[in-house]
Amino acid sequence: MKWLTTLVMISMLLLIAACSSKPATSLNKELELSSAGISSLVLDNSNGQIEVVGNKNTDKIQASVVANGSNMDKLKLSLEGKDGVATLNTFFEGQFMSTGPQTVDVKLTIPEKMKLEIKHPHRDGDIQVTNLASDVSIENVNGNITLKEIGGAIDLTNRDGGITIQNSSSDVNIENVNGHIQADKIGGTAYIELGDGSLDIDQVAKDVVIIQSGNGKVSIGDVKGKVTQSKK
């Protein structure tokens, strides 16, 4: 019977060890890269909240990343610069084959004159960008986009989410499906393709072109240039 008692004790110890060594399901990480020689940043993020702030006093790209998921071994985190472009990867590989939620939230501080591109597209999370004197390009599905105090051209492709733009100094190009657009204080031309959503636009310094495929409400305020509306 002594051998049986010993076997039971060993089994219990192995069980306790297995339970205590569960793989991590969350990770906090800080990434940093000098902005010397870098003029633009490309962010590849599949699922999560994104916040980007421009800072005129910094010479670094700084990212705070919070990842949550059951397959942390599939998490790809990297920040590298090459040929004037910094690439920030914050996503789970094979995410669409995953059996559970996988999210990576990112908070970024970058030089205010650095161009920003969010691509591939980003899915399932809100995006907020403020205080950039550069161009911003975003592809997004299922989430809201908020842009404030943007000095360069804005190019947005969005589906199933709202868009808010305030104080843009240059041209704005938007293609949006199924969501409300609020655009105020646009310093350039606004070109908007609108499908199954509504639009409120005001205080535009140049022309406004609206191409609408749905029947959402369109409200146009003060526009200094020409307004052209058509159905798709």
Side-chain angles (χ1 to χ4, degrees):
M1 291 298 291
K2 187 175 181 180
W3 66 267
L4 181 59
T5 302
T6 302
L7 182 61
V8 171
M9 290 181 65
I10 292 173
S11 299
M12 292 179 64
L13 288 172
L14 290 173
L15 180 61
I16 292 171
C19 291
S20 64
S21 61
K22 285 184 178 180
T25 57
S26 64
L27 174 70
N28 291 21
K29 192 172 182 65
E30 303 291 323
L31 301 173
E32 186 175 291
L33 179 70
S34 170
S35 64
I38 302 294
S39 60
S40 63
L41 171 69
V42 177
L43 171 58
D44 192 345
N45 178 292
S46 299
N47 189 347
Q49 307 291 324
I50 296 175
E51 181 181 342
V52 183
V53 178
N55 185 339
K56 66 180 180 180
N57 297 317
T58 190
D59 59 357
K60 298 177 182 178
I61 300 168
Q62 296 172 300
S64 297
V65 179
V66 179
N68 292 282
S70 57
N71 298 314
M72 298 302 290
D73 58 325
K74 299 293 186 181
L75 177 63
K76 183 172 183 180
L77 294 180
S78 64
L79 176 58
E80 301 173 340
K82 183 179 180 181
D83 298 329
V85 178
T87 301
L88 174 59
N89 294 308
T90 59
F91 60 87
F92 285 90
E93 294 178 315
Q95 183 161 3
F96 296 109
M97 300 296 291
S98 171
T99 57
Q102 315 277 353
T103 63
V104 186
D105 297 336
V106 180
K107 290 186 177 181
L108 263 171
T109 300
I110 64 176
E112 68 170 4
K113 294 184 179 180
M114 184 170 289
K115 295 179 181 179
L116 174 67
E117 180 182 356
I118 301 173
K119 63 171 192 174
H120 271 174
H122 171 266
R123 294 175 181 269
D124 299 328
D126 295 339
I127 298 173
Q128 181 173 312
V129 182
T130 57
N131 298 325
L132 285 183
S134 54
D135 297 346
V136 176
S137 177
I138 298 174
E139 296 178 33
N140 187 57
V141 176
N142 195 24
N144 299 316
I145 300 174
T146 302
L147 304 181
K148 297 181 179 180
E149 308 295 339
I150 306 298
I154 295 173
D155 189 0
L156 304 180
T157 302
N158 196 46
R159 183 182 182 89
D160 298 331
I163 294 174
T164 300
I165 299 175
Q166 295 179 344
N167 295 326
S168 167
S169 300
S170 189
D171 296 337
V172 172
N173 181 66
I174 300 173
E175 182 180 344
N176 196 52
V177 178
N178 194 25
H180 176 69
I181 300 173
Q182 180 75 47
D184 298 301
K185 298 182 180 178
I186 308 300
T189 297
Y191 179 91
I192 300 171
E193 291 191 29
L194 184 65
D196 295 328
S198 55
L199 169 66
D200 283 292
I201 187 166
D202 193 17
Q203 300 184 58
V204 181
K206 296 183 179 180
D207 297 342
V208 171
V209 177
I210 301 169
I211 301 175
Q212 190 174 11
S213 58
N215 297 308
K217 181 181 178 182
V218 174
S219 176
I220 301 172
D222 180 38
V223 176
K224 301 301 183 185
K226 181 181 178 182
V227 177
T228 304
Q229 286 183 263
S230 61
K231 284 282 189 178
K232 198 171 185 178

